Amino acid sequence: MPVVKVVELIGTSKTSWEDAVQQILKEASATLRHIIGVIHRTAHVHEGKISEYRATAHVAFQVEEHAHIVGAGGPSK
């Protein structure tokens, strides 16, 4: 059975929630594979208007077996 890790990431945007989520996915997908997530949207309000859109993502991904990683404790070849 695979091990799954969950991290919380926060993205912000001056334009939209969609852009805030895209910022999260852009950064996370640079180093993580098989991403799934749950997104929560909030906003910062200043003088009655949204001044910043915020997306909080609980990003889940499958942890790869350490035997495939060079120097992860297994014998070197």
Side-chain angles (χ1 to χ4, degrees):
M1 175 170 257
V3 173
V4 175
K5 184 171 186 170
V6 177
V7 296
E8 183 177 77
L9 303 173
I10 299 170
T12 62
S13 170
K14 297 285 185 190
T15 58
S16 69
W17 281 296
E18 182 180 352
D19 186 51
V21 172
Q22 289 300 329
Q23 296 299 322
I24 293 170
L25 293 175
K26 178 182 174 186
E27 292 299 319
S29 65
T31 57
L32 303 174
R33 291 182 279 203
H34 312 294
I35 294 174
I36 58 171
V38 176
I39 308 296
H40 300 280
R41 294 177 287 183
T42 60
H44 183 264
V45 176
H46 181 70
E47 296 180 358
K49 295 183 180 182
I50 294 175
S51 60
E52 184 177 70
Y53 297 85
R54 296 178 182 166
T56 303
H58 292 109
V59 176
F61 57 95
Q62 184 175 337
V63 177
E64 295 182 2
E65 293 184 37
H66 68 276
H68 294 105
I69 303 171
V70 175
S76 59
K77 294 182 181 179

